[in-house]
Amino acid sequence: MATLSDLLNAAVTAHMAGDGDRAGRLYRRALALAPDAATALHLLGTLAAQGGQSGPAAAWLARALRVEPAAPAVWAHLGGVRLAAGDDAGAAAALLRALALEPDQPDAAVNLGLACHAGHDLEAATRWLWRAHRLRPGHRDSLLDLGLVLRDRQMFPGAEACFAALAAADGTDREAHMALALSRLVQGDLAAGWTGFEQRWKRIPAPPWTADQPLPAGGTLLLHAEQGFGDTIQFVRYVPDAVALAARHGARVVLEVHPHLIRLLRTLPVPAGALAIVPRGDTPPPFDAHCPLMSLPRAFATRRVADIPAPVPYLSADPAEAAAWTARLDDGSGRLRVGLVWAGNPGHRNDRNRSLPLGALDPLLDVAGVRLFSLQTGPARTALPPRWAARLEDPMDAVADFAGTAALLAGLDLLVTVDTAPLHLAGALGRPAWLLLPHAPDWRWFLGRADTPWYPTVRLFRQDRAGAWPRVGQAVARYLRRALERRGG
């Protein structure tokens, strides 16, 4: 009969060989012999974590800690599991315990830095990531994470030193090149930023077209969306220029985008028949030259902030639909009609920073003379506190696509939103919008300004420190009262 030691040895061998099913069976057989075998509990938890099963992993690790409460590696793995599950506070508590028991754990220090970063404690995140870097100098992920925290703190020289060191060590490290590019872009250094920005994921391996390259007569220039809806709406501003340039060469332009955007983008100001708009598919349509939409600023040599084309509006709502929404939303009260979006795509890599809890906007509920409309989609749409459920009007069931949202925006006086596609839509339509930004904004909003060269009708409200959404809500309420005073006066 196999002993506990035999089973554990065989399980670890299978585990290290990547045979998780066999390893799991052997760990459980070991626990059948010895239910309090801490090593089996720990490694079974580790195996579950590696398989993305955060709940079972945490349960196995907690059992291991009941047997051996002073095991630093188990505390460190529990912290990693909690971090992966989005429990930043729980992760930090476990990782602090791990590092108190064994201070020289670089992985635990990295994860604690990430937990502090996610919890908006950027100073603590910096300290822990520096410790990880000192424990394991030159480690790629530690250095990248340190650079990202320093960038979020707007400590750009230190951040860029981290990214540059990684890029020098590995010229193919796209994340490092991209991080360096985004650092330059957010500071307004567009000439340097666009070059590094080309390191992002590429759908088509051929180099993107630039406006100084000729197109063959009768040829096709493919412009294609590559990222989110908002990115597409923002950068189609360059499409009319591309169409005009292609026409001078006797070429045509095909614009490939998500189907939800096609009806809206048919309102781009281009000559009839000069632009074909097609739905994005698995395989791009035939082309002679191509350019991703987010490479168009580089293609048209937008080297300075002052060079950004802002021909607002460059999209429009269907007049009949817009008139219908205006009539539908007008209740005769004369109150200011304000649309709200407080959460973005929960799958976005930076969603925890750019989305806000609706409670942060509670001051808006106390502003008299305002009607509040939810333009929210996704899970946040129905997860409303009672106070908000009683006040928010939700017209979104009647909206089928972005052209429908454009018509709805025509019936509103103002949009108040976090950094999501409706903001870009309002800006492209020339509609008034207020954008609520985290302390570390996306690169396109630059730093320290209340306006944006991308959209002249948009005002920016920025956090003065990481996580400080309630102050942003208070500022929006103050400006809303001022808008009402001007309207009445």
Side-chain angles (χ1 to χ4, degrees):
M1 180 178 178
T3 66
L4 176 63
S5 179
D6 293 335
L7 289 169
L8 286 175
N9 287 337
V12 169
T13 299
H15 194 161
M16 293 179 67
D19 189 348
D21 291 340
R22 175 172 168 75
R25 290 194 299 271
L26 290 168
Y27 287 137
R28 286 180 171 82
R29 284 181 59 190
L31 289 171
L33 286 180
D36 289 337
T39 299
L41 292 167
H42 176 197
L43 293 177
L44 195 54
T46 303
L47 182 66
Q50 291 166 345
Q53 300 174 302
S54 58
W60 289 117
L61 294 170
R63 279 184 59 184
L65 287 168
R66 285 196 290 271
V67 178
E68 290 186 3
V74 184
W75 281 111
H77 285 145
L78 180 60
V81 167
R82 288 175 174 174
L83 181 64
D87 179 7
D88 307 324
L95 292 161
L96 282 168
R97 184 73 177 271
L99 288 160
L101 292 164
E102 186 181 323
D104 294 341
Q105 295 186 76
D107 287 336
V110 168
N111 281 339
L112 183 52
L114 295 176
C116 292
H117 193 183
H120 306 300
D121 188 348
L122 303 189
E123 291 186 12
T126 304
R127 288 196 303 272
W128 289 111
L129 289 166
W130 267 119
R131 177 187 284 198
H133 178 56
R134 287 193 298 269
L135 290 170
R136 194 166 48 188
H139 184 260
R140 188 261 182 195
D141 291 347
S142 302
L143 198 56
L144 179 64
D145 291 332
L146 176 60
L148 294 174
V149 171
L150 292 173
R151 191 181 71 192
D152 283 358
R153 294 182 68 185
Q154 299 179 17
M155 300 172 70
F156 294 108
E160 291 178 9
C162 294
F163 304 144
L166 291 172
D170 181 359
T172 65
D173 190 334
R174 285 189 172 182
E175 275 192 288
H177 284 283
M178 272 294 291
L180 186 56
L182 296 180
S183 180
R184 302 312 309 163
L185 287 171
V186 77
Q187 295 174 80
D189 184 358
L190 304 188
W194 296 134
T195 300
F197 197 53
E198 289 303 309
Q199 292 288 333
R200 68 194 187 278
W201 173 85
K202 291 180 174 62
R203 180 188 182 203
I204 298 172
W209 167 84
T210 56
D212 58 356
Q213 295 174 349
L215 294 167
T220 297
L221 171 62
L222 172 67
L223 305 179
H224 50 104
E226 57 178 308
Q227 297 191 28
F229 293 120
D231 298 313
T232 300
I233 294 169
Q234 180 178 5
F235 291 102
V236 293
R237 71 184 59 228
Y238 288 90
V239 169
D241 289 338
V243 168
L245 188 56
R248 290 199 291 273
H249 290 280
R252 70 186 194 112
V253 176
V254 173
L255 175 60
E256 185 197 38
V257 296
H258 192 283
H260 287 337
L261 288 167
I262 289 178
R263 195 163 68 96
L264 172 69
L265 298 188
R266 285 180 179 145
T267 69
L268 279 164
V270 297
L275 176 67
I277 305 178
V278 300
R280 181 181 168 95
D282 293 334
T283 303
F287 62 89
D288 298 286
H290 84 97
C291 191
L293 288 177
M294 297 183 74
S295 292
L296 285 172
R298 176 175 173 268
F300 281 94
T302 307
R303 296 189 177 93
R304 301 172 303 150
V305 172
D307 296 333
I308 293 173
V312 168
Y314 56 87
L315 296 174
S316 59
D318 178 86
E321 286 185 59
W325 270 113
T326 299
R328 177 175 176 175
L329 298 179
D330 185 3
D331 65 353
S333 68
R335 289 180 292 170
L336 198 70
R337 298 189 290 268
V338 178
L340 292 179
V341 180
W342 59 93
N345 175 6
H348 189 280
R349 63 186 181 280
N350 195 39
D351 184 63
R352 70 169 70 203
N353 289 320
R354 68 177 193 160
S355 294
L356 56 78
L358 186 53
L361 297 179
D362 279 354
L364 274 65
L365 294 172
D366 299 323
V367 180
V370 171
R371 288 173 69 196
L372 298 172
F373 295 86
S374 170
L375 273 63
Q376 185 64 55
T377 59
R381 181 183 177 191
T382 54
L384 299 177
R387 192 176 180 213
W388 279 96
R391 284 288 304 277
L392 269 181
E393 302 179 52
D394 187 343
M396 293 303 289
D397 282 341
V399 174
D401 59 9
F402 279 93
T405 306
L408 169 58
L409 285 169
L412 298 174
D413 298 299
L414 173 68
L415 175 68
V416 176
T417 177
V418 292
D419 188 1
T420 59
L423 178 280
H424 292 280
L425 178 56
L429 295 167
R431 301 294 300 163
W434 293 353
L435 171 59
L436 316 182
L437 289 175
H439 181 65
D442 189 71
W443 63 267
R444 73 199 74 206
W445 309 121
F446 306 121
L447 299 170
R449 55 190 300 166
D451 67 335
T452 169
W454 299 104
Y455 303 116
T457 62
V458 171
R459 180 183 177 88
L460 311 183
F461 291 79
R462 299 175 182 269
Q463 288 181 348
D464 57 2
R465 58 179 175 79
W469 283 123
R471 296 188 189 186
V472 174
Q474 292 161 9
V476 170
R478 286 196 303 272
Y479 275 81
L480 200 51
R481 288 189 178 94
R482 293 176 192 173
L484 287 164
E485 290 168 4
R486 289 195 298 270
R487 196 181 194 219

